[in-house]
Amino acid sequence: MYPPAEVWWRPIDRLERSWVIIAFVWALVLTAMMPLWFVVGKQNVPVTTYRTTPERFRETVEAFAAEHQVGERAGIPVVAPPPGGDAYVYAQRFSFYPILQLEKGEEYRIHVSSLDVQHGFSIQPVNLNFQIVPTYEYVITLTPTESGEFQVVCNEYCGLGHHVMTGTILVNE
Amino acid sequence: MTLTSERAEYRVCPVTQFKVDLQSEALIKVNAVAAVVALTIGGIAAILIALTRWEAVGLLPPEWFYRLLTVHGTNMLIFWIVFFEMAGLYFGATILLDARLPKPAVGWLAFGLMVVGALFVEITALTGNSTVMFTAYEPLGSNEASPLFYLGLILFAVGALVAVGLFFATVVMARVEKTYEGSLPLVTYGLVVAAIIATYTLLSGAVALVPPFLRTIGIIEHVDPAFYRNFFWSFGHPAQQINLAAMVAIWYAMGVMTVGGSPVSEKLSRFAFILYVLFINLGSAHHLLVDPGLSFGFKTFNTSYGMYLAVLGSMIHAFSIPAMLEVAQRRRGFTNGLFEWLRKLPWREPGFAALAVSMFVFGWIGGVTGVTMGTEQIDMVAHNTLRVPGHFHAAVVGGTTLAFMGFTYYVIPLVFRKRVKFLKLATWQPYLFGLGISLVAVGMITAGIQGVPRRTADIDVVREVPGTVHLSLAVVGIGALIAFTALCMYLAVVLASVFTGPRVEATSLALVQPMEPVPAAAEGSHVAPKGTFVIVLVFLAFFAAFYLANWWMLGRTWFVS
């Protein structure tokens, strides 16, 4: 509150110095963890991104759905992409299209984008979350490690019907 | 030497002996009043939306939930906080430096722009003409936000920039006119840091918000949504780091005002503030960690504030402030064991209670969870879940807002020159508010860990959730009721004190529990802050446990790359 008296550039107390050193070492640990996990961890943030347009992406998704459709649920096609291959999902207010049917333990490159505003891609109850930004095609390379029916929830506010926006991912053994 | 021929009128504060420029004092008052008005609007919205997310109550229909969530976000994260910071800047630049305010008219212009801007936003948001949330992610606003919404935010930012410019001018003039000797007081130093951060933050805000504004009035057609996100968050997150610097400055001030003593190492405390200036803006990348288009290197370097050096700054303050109190107490003679000094602190003094609770909630809940989910890979299990608002309610509400509330109890006698009424309420208010907000934050964090999305009117319509989720959301609702009660207590004290009763001159700094002055003979003697050292080590152990538990949780989920 008051201007410091006389000379304030004094040596630091021993305990205070110890704390600064400990805190700095902790900061280094925090810094090192991310590259370390990048190398050895199996859960890393996808990077691959392409530019796209809503029209082009819709066509790609519809072509993909037509080619690999295996069923239908409430008017939305259930699509089984080839293991190791590409899958395409678009988000638009207030749904995801199509429903994916995956194999447990297989890797898929899932391309997601939006036809209108920003959305969220939140796989529940696994709890993996990504941002969907229109005009950007985000490639999420995913390997399900459990089987069952999972929900995709939109977790970015996208309009007054945001809370009813949902999609499905099925994972077979 | 004086720079201009203007004359200022002063009074001398009978308690602190500071010279108070009357124009500056008037600006402090109007900004503080505007801040409290915004807090009231935001607070009413808060309780309504919290009771909607508590699914068992489910108060509002979705349309009103989203509308009031926009109102809540803009009022609390922008208007309340920035108006209060402006009051703080005038206080730090004039009163603490015994200086006059050059060109008070500029201060009034800034205030006018901010009020007009805030009104535009309030009106469009409350009438449902900008239900786009505080973030207004592109291109959501192209159909859903009125041009007045963007214009309001821009006018508010420009007004705040003008006031920040006046603050710098005042500090420089105080230097030239030699109104104080030696170095700047640490509190003003912290406020200078807040003002530097504010300058580039508000400029980023203008860069983010001008293109969508031009789009809404038809001058340009398309705004890149990723570009917008990047610039919006260079405004949105650092706006809260202005609070951080201002809050830490106020922590030091409240420590000195209620307990006494002086910073144990001016050198280290100032160094920690410098770390904020250099590194803290990088943290805005926290919001972009699971966005398309950005590389691992960009995300990690930025989200780590360049090797967590801004976090180091906060950890230094986390030691320095309690150490300052411990040294003062030990010099008073409370030297038994590790913690006698702690027990003998003025726990009934509102300003001290606010300081203690604010530091605890900010550090232990807000800080720890923020650094953890701001880790690049861990963000995949946290992004846009309720963990995010859980973190920032602890940091911004439990930390900043509570610190600012505590500080107002001292602004009332010293600046408004009114006697503080209902002192019992003032004593209890920080504890109750801290409890309520902690429950809100912990409820949100546990719900978020279970995958509950933020900004969602109703989670039961699309999926069945386990009972533990409903329990977490009930904790949020109950916490919100407690915090809202404490907010009403705060408003009762402030309004009753300011608007009723005669003007009286303050006679002491303390409101409830004055402390003996630190014996002059003990000043300068060496005292080791051993108790503080133990406290920070326990804190670090908790931090490490929470952080590592999150890596463990991430390691169990699906493989992704």
Side-chain angles (χ1 to χ4, degrees):
Chain A
M1 275 241 295
Y2 303 97
E6 84 262 358
V7 181
W8 49 267
W9 194 264
R10 280 180 307 209
I12 296 167
D13 178 74
R14 190 176 56 83
L15 284 178
E16 194 164 23
R17 191 170 57 231
S18 312
W19 170 245
V20 175
I21 293 168
I22 293 169
F24 183 64
V25 170
W26 177 240
L28 293 179
V29 171
L30 293 175
T31 308
M33 274 306 284
M34 290 186 284
L36 183 71
W37 192 271
F38 186 71
V39 176
V40 303
K42 290 195 174 354
Q43 293 83 12
N44 276 293
V45 180
V47 176
T48 313
T49 307
Y50 304 107
R51 277 280 192 179
T52 186
T53 63
E55 299 75 32
R56 197 165 73 212
F57 195 72
R58 178 201 289 273
E59 281 169 25
T60 313
V61 173
E62 282 172 355
F64 157 76
E67 188 181 345
H68 299 287
Q69 183 168 359
V70 293
E72 196 181 277
R73 237 195 215 197
I76 300 177
V78 178
V79 181
D86 293 81
Y88 297 82
V89 175
Y90 68 66
Q92 73 172 345
R93 299 202 255 189
F94 298 102
S95 63
F96 294 91
Y97 180 97
I99 294 168
L100 294 183
Q101 181 181 308
L102 311 177
E103 303 290 325
K104 180 182 162 186
E106 297 290 344
E107 185 179 279
Y108 298 88
R109 285 164 42 89
I110 302 175
H111 302 234
V112 295
S113 189
S114 164
L115 304 187
D116 41 42
V117 298
Q118 298 190 23
H119 295 284
F121 192 83
S122 170
I123 308 170
Q124 295 298 343
V126 182
N127 198 18
L128 274 175
N129 306 280
F130 303 95
Q131 188 79 17
I132 307 181
V133 182
T135 72
Y136 292 83
E137 180 178 337
Y138 200 9
V139 185
I140 301 165
T141 305
L142 198 64
T143 308
T145 55
E146 56 196 320
S147 58
E149 180 171 337
F150 300 91
Q151 248 180 336
V152 180
V153 177
C154 174
N155 64 6
E156 184 58 75
Y157 175 73
C158 57
L160 294 179
H162 161 60
H163 50 284
V164 304
M165 179 162 171
T166 176
T168 307
I169 292 179
L170 305 167
V171 181
N172 293 338
E173 271 297 332
Chain B
M1 172 177 119
T2 51
L3 283 179
T4 59
S5 56
E6 283 173 36
R7 289 228 193 96
E9 285 179 58
Y10 296 99
R11 68 179 177 89
V12 174
C13 174
V15 181
T16 58
Q17 309 305 321
F18 281 126
K19 272 164 75 184
V20 180
D21 178 327
L22 296 181
Q23 283 288 332
S24 177
E25 185 180 59
L27 280 164
I28 293 173
K29 285 181 184 174
V30 292
N31 277 285
V33 168
V36 172
V37 170
L39 179 69
T40 309
I41 299 172
I44 292 168
I47 190 67
L48 297 175
I49 57 184
L51 291 178
T52 309
R53 290 229 63 165
W54 183 1
E55 301 266 344
V57 180
L59 187 66
L60 297 176
E63 187 194 341
W64 272 95
F65 172 82
Y66 295 124
R67 186 183 293 194
L68 289 184
L69 189 52
T70 308
V71 170
H72 173 66
T74 46
N75 272 288
M76 295 309 213
L77 287 173
I78 308 181
F79 304 144
W80 143 247
I81 293 282
V82 178
F83 273 125
F84 197 91
E85 277 159 3
M86 294 304 134
L89 291 185
Y90 290 119
F91 170 78
T94 58
I95 299 182
L96 288 187
L97 298 183
D98 281 333
R100 68 190 174 88
L101 188 70
K103 305 281 177 209
V106 177
W108 289 102
L109 170 73
F111 180 71
L113 285 170
M114 290 168 71
V115 168
V116 171
L119 280 178
F120 283 179
V121 174
E122 302 284 9
I123 291 166
T124 53
L126 278 168
T127 53
N129 287 310
S130 59
T131 305
V132 289
M133 304 292 126
F134 156 67
T135 47
Y137 284 136
E138 277 297 298
L140 189 62
S142 60
N143 297 318
E144 260 133 275
S146 130
L148 277 186
F149 174 74
Y150 293 108
L151 184 64
L153 287 175
I154 293 165
L155 285 178
F156 186 85
V158 170
L161 265 176
V162 170
V164 168
L166 182 62
F167 167 78
F168 285 127
T170 311
V171 172
V172 169
M173 207 177 60
R175 184 82 181 168
V176 173
E177 294 182 354
K178 292 199 170 43
T179 62
Y180 65 99
E181 307 235 331
S183 305
L184 278 181
L186 186 60
V187 174
T188 309
Y189 190 86
L191 291 171
V192 170
V193 167
I196 293 171
I197 299 173
T199 307
Y200 59 63
T201 297
L202 294 165
L203 287 173
S204 299
V207 173
L209 294 165
V210 166
F213 170 64
L214 295 179
R215 200 260 335 277
T216 51
I217 57 173
I219 293 183
I220 56 176
E221 273 190 5
H222 177 72
V223 180
D224 186 288
F227 172 91
Y228 176 85
R229 283 175 70 80
N230 202 337
F231 275 92
F232 179 83
W233 283 117
S234 302
F235 158 71
H237 205 102
Q240 311 316 316
Q241 326 274 29
I242 311 171
N243 307 344
L244 172 71
M247 171 187 73
V248 174
I250 280 179
W251 280 350
Y252 279 104
M254 286 203 296
V256 173
M257 286 162 71
T258 60
V259 182
S262 56
V264 281
S265 170
E266 290 270 353
K267 179 164 73 173
L268 201 58
S269 296
R270 283 164 199 249
F271 171 68
F273 273 121
I274 296 278
L275 290 176
Y276 283 168
V277 173
L278 293 178
F279 297 106
I280 212 152
N281 188 30
L282 303 179
S284 52
H286 288 155
H287 300 265
L288 313 176
L289 292 180
V290 295
D291 273 24
L294 301 170
S295 70
F296 173 76
F298 172 90
K299 287 174 177 173
T300 356
F301 177 77
N302 282 287
T303 199
S304 73
Y305 302 101
M307 299 200 338
Y308 291 97
L309 292 175
V311 175
L312 180 64
S314 289
M315 288 170 77
I316 290 174
H317 292 307
F319 182 93
S320 296
I321 295 170
M324 167 176 96
L325 307 182
E326 178 172 359
V327 168
Q329 287 286 76
R330 285 182 183 273
R331 282 179 180 153
R332 277 193 187 105
F334 301 125
T335 51
N336 289 331
L338 276 176
F339 296 118
E340 189 195 16
W341 64 275
L342 189 65
R343 284 197 309 277
K344 297 288 174 65
L345 282 167
W347 294 98
R348 284 183 290 117
E349 179 71 24
F352 176 75
L355 167 67
V357 177
S358 164
M359 283 195 74
F360 177 81
V361 179
F362 182 88
W364 289 67
I365 307 179
V368 166
T369 58
V371 172
T372 301
M373 73 186 175
T375 303
E376 201 229 15
Q377 294 96 338
I378 292 175
D379 190 50
M380 284 191 292
V381 295
H383 179 74
N384 271 355
T385 67
L386 268 180
R387 271 175 95 166
V388 178
H391 149 70
F392 69 70
H393 278 82
V396 180
V397 192
T400 314
T401 294
L402 183 52
F404 288 4
M405 283 172 162
F407 197 63
T408 20
Y409 294 136
Y410 299 83
V411 171
I412 293 169
L414 298 176
V415 176
F416 285 87
R417 288 184 278 167
K418 296 289 179 113
R419 199 169 58 78
V420 179
K421 296 194 169 159
F422 312 135
L423 280 171
K424 272 248 160 57
L425 284 188
T427 292
W428 281 100
Q429 188 269 339
Y431 296 110
L432 203 60
F433 193 74
L435 171 70
I437 282 303
S438 298
L439 289 176
V440 169
V442 170
M444 284 180 166
I445 291 163
T446 50
I449 288 173
Q450 299 170 83
V452 177
R454 66 187 291 200
R455 295 176 163 176
T456 300
D458 186 344
I459 56 166
D460 284 337
V461 285
V462 293
R463 72 184 182 110
E464 275 193 26
V465 292
T468 47
V469 166
H470 284 131
L471 179 66
S472 301
L473 293 173
V475 170
V476 175
I478 292 164
L481 284 172
I482 296 173
F484 186 72
T485 308
L487 172 66
C488 294
M489 287 159 64
Y490 167 78
L491 292 174
V493 173
V494 170
L495 298 177
S497 306
V498 170
F499 293 110
T500 66
R503 167 165 289 188
V504 283
E505 292 294 346
T507 49
S508 83
L509 267 179
L511 299 174
V512 178
Q513 198 180 357
M515 299 293 282
E516 296 284 318
V518 178
E523 288 280 0
S525 64
H526 180 263
V527 178
K530 287 177 283 195
T532 299
F533 193 66
V534 173
I535 293 172
V536 291
L537 287 181
V538 174
F539 167 73
L540 185 62
F542 169 73
F543 189 171
F546 185 83
Y547 177 75
L548 295 172
N550 272 274
W551 281 111
W552 175 79
M553 209 161 72
L554 177 70
R556 295 179 347 138
T557 192
W558 293 7
F559 301 161
V560 57
S561 63

